[in-house]
């Protein structure tokens, strides 16, 4: 995860967390506000637990879990009994989050870790969205306008446009002044070095270059606009 | 492993796989052709198992295992019972290879995973070599001509010339217009920043710069010629 | 760890090793002198064991353990019974250190691994300091002069000046021609992109840029001077 890139951390969690076994405690620390007023949190999302800072890291992953209203909760970590004795101001991963996660994994109930500030899916969503809201694509007359939300290590540009917004047939994808016609299923359907659009393995529309780096080729950054015309 | 660099993946397997315990299932995914016609495979090489794409990844590692003709096999993965229910077109590591490896590690026989397409070492070699053949050095009157097959993270240039092709005494190694006289045993035998040749820990002739980066110093890439005059 | 950067390896050990459980065997290999006259070592520091080259890697970590004179020892690894059968000249991590550590972890007594060359904390310190002495800051009339000993992946510049040398109140920190007034507790106390000084999570004075890269901003390298005026 690049330094301070909360969004990249959130996207990594979205893609990896659901594939761990039920009961897993995930510790996630991308924490530029460490030691400041941002709260340390522990969450339950369905059968998974998450521990880390209240800065948006856990907003994407929430969308990956089935919503059972009674199996969602957020606790503001305040019970120092489960922390290291000496807590630094700059490394809560070591001093708060890892020890709390260790206790959780040994069976300490979530509610003992601090103050319960959300007890159901609606409230959890509200708490998480307060620090960072995933930008939603906007509907247009014949498609949608979204944006690049992640660039992976291959240079693939993942957008916030989910598969259901992209029609079968020959939609036109516009990005960085380029037009891509049609959505492919595999990279190998185009020539090496050619630009393509496909639905990536997370279920989002993705712009790629076969055996190349789309972000570099297009000069695209996170936040840049992507338009779908169906 | 750099994106799409099948050869670097193969070299990593060659160097690491044999040191794992017998029975290990290795999952290796460098897979630019994911979702296309390239086959998903599971292999047995001696007492080890490998799962991944049919693109040459497993060609180098084969050379690292003792040849017991009856302990080699390749299976074309076709039995979807051992895959994730939903298989994406772009992430077979998650959807095919990892689940198949998990089943293998739990005792599912190789042959249940799909169609057996090779049952002995000769056939396995033929199947693997069809997608990618490791370039062989050529004998010359007084030595051999080979090439750089891998550059490691230190910048050391590993060649495809095995130790037995390099004479004791004072062979001359030519690479990138430079001549190196003699083969050293350790980096410390030359001065800092000096170029040297040695037999690396994989048993191949290697060109290095002590506490430096030989590939950068020489401007050498994978595929560049290396000549030994004994 | 960057290639050949013994000091960075030592700093990583200092920060990580003490948090592992008692009895852990740590294998550390940053080993530019591999195969030369430098000795292979195994150490006991309090309840932890370390295996690796005699080049200073274990000098920083020693400072992290409580000194029980009788629980410190250094062994020069000479008993080939605990090594791989074939020992390369260039990869002792694979051929000596990992196998020795495996045996240690299975209960082989330290003294069986070779020649005991230090039996107490004083002697261990003497042996380790012979290859690499951590530079000590110098006292000045009103503070101290030290240096940058590590730059982490965020670009934070960690110095060899421990917290107790930095007064409360408004000390002035001078580095690379810049003056920083006061020591902060968290990155968030300054604006984004602003330079600050704080006591890092290892207990050393550290120079950082909030959500930025201090080493790049300042053009600072390991070894550069840092001055504290209290």
């Amino acid at each position: 995860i690049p330094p301070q890139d909360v969004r990249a951390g959130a996207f990594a969690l979205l893609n990896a967390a659901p594939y761990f076994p039920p009961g897993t405690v995930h510790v996630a620390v991308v924490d530029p506000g460490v030691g400041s007023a941002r709260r340390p949190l522990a969450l339950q999302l369905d059968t998974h637990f998450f521990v880390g800072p209240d800065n948006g890291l856990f907003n994407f992953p929430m969308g990956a879990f089935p919503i059972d209203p009674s199996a969602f909760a957020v606790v503001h970590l305040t019970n120092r009994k489960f922390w290291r004795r000496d807590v630094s101001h700059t490394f809560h991963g070591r001093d708060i989050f890892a020890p709390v996660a260790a206790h959780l994994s040994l069976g300490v109930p979530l509610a003992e870790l601090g103050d319960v500030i959300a007890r159901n899916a609606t409230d959890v969503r509200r708490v998480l969205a307060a620090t960072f809201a995933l930008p939603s694509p906007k509907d247009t007359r014949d498609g949608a306008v979204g944006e690049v939300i992640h660039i992976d290590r291959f240079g693939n540009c993942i957008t916030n446009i989910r598969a259901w917004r992209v029609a079968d047939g020959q939609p036109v994808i516009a990005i960085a002044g380029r037009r891509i016609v049609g959505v492919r299923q595999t990279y190998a359907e185009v020539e090496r070095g050619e630009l393509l659009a496909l639905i990536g393995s997370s279920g989002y529309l993705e712009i790629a270059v076969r055996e190349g780096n789309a972000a570099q080729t297009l000069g695209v950054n996170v936040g840049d606009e992507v338009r779908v015309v169906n």
Side-chain angles (χ1 to χ4, degrees), chain A:
Chain A
I1 309 298
Q4 281 97 33
D5 191 341
V6 173
R7 198 183 289 220
F11 200 78
L13 283 174
L14 165 69
N15 286 312
Y19 301 98
F20 283 77
T24 300
V25 181
H26 307 266
V27 183
V29 188
V30 184
D31 196 9
V34 59
S36 70
R38 74 92 188 89
R39 296 176 292 194
L41 300 181
L43 290 81
Q44 182 175 0
L45 303 182
D46 192 49
T47 58
H48 289 244
F49 297 92
F50 295 83
V51 182
D54 183 17
N55 63 7
L57 254 184
F58 304 112
N59 205 3
F60 282 15
M62 186 172 172
F65 291 96
I67 298 291
D68 168 355
S70 67
F72 279 69
V74 179
V75 169
H76 175 195
L77 301 173
T78 53
N79 190 343
R80 301 180 67 100
K81 178 176 146 193
F82 300 109
W83 303 3
R84 274 190 78 217
R85 191 162 312 169
D86 298 318
V87 175
S88 70
H89 293 285
T90 56
F91 196 0
H92 287 183
R94 179 190 69 187
D95 301 338
I96 299 179
F97 301 131
V100 161
H103 283 103
L104 254 181
S105 74
L106 292 171
V108 171
L110 197 67
E112 279 194 32
L113 302 170
D115 304 324
V116 180
I117 57 177
R119 298 174 186 280
N120 57 58
T122 307
D123 285 357
V124 170
R125 191 182 303 279
R126 189 181 39 72
V127 167
L128 296 184
T131 48
F132 176 76
L134 176 60
S136 295
K138 295 197 182 83
D139 291 315
T140 59
R141 192 172 45 84
D142 48 9
V145 180
E147 62 185 73
V148 173
I149 53 170
H150 183 66
I151 293 169
D152 70 18
R153 81 173 188 104
F154 301 97
N156 299 328
C157 303
I158 293 105
T159 74
N160 61 342
I161 301 173
R162 299 211 63 125
W164 63 267
R165 287 182 182 274
V166 184
D168 293 337
Q170 294 284 304
V172 176
I173 320 303
I175 180 171
R178 299 282 292 271
R179 295 171 75 254
I180 305 167
V181 178
V183 173
R184 310 288 181 159
Q185 291 206 304
T186 72
Y187 304 107
E189 286 176 49
V190 302
E191 298 298 311
R192 280 186 196 176
E194 202 180 314
L195 198 62
L196 72 153
L198 42 66
I199 302 301
S201 54
S202 325
Y204 291 95
L205 178 69
E206 179 181 319
I207 313 303
V209 164
R210 179 177 170 189
E211 297 178 42
N213 186 307
Q216 279 177 17
T217 302
L218 296 171
V220 160
N221 293 308
V222 167
D224 285 3
E225 182 184 292
V226 180
R227 182 176 288 264
V228 176
V229 179
N230 288 314

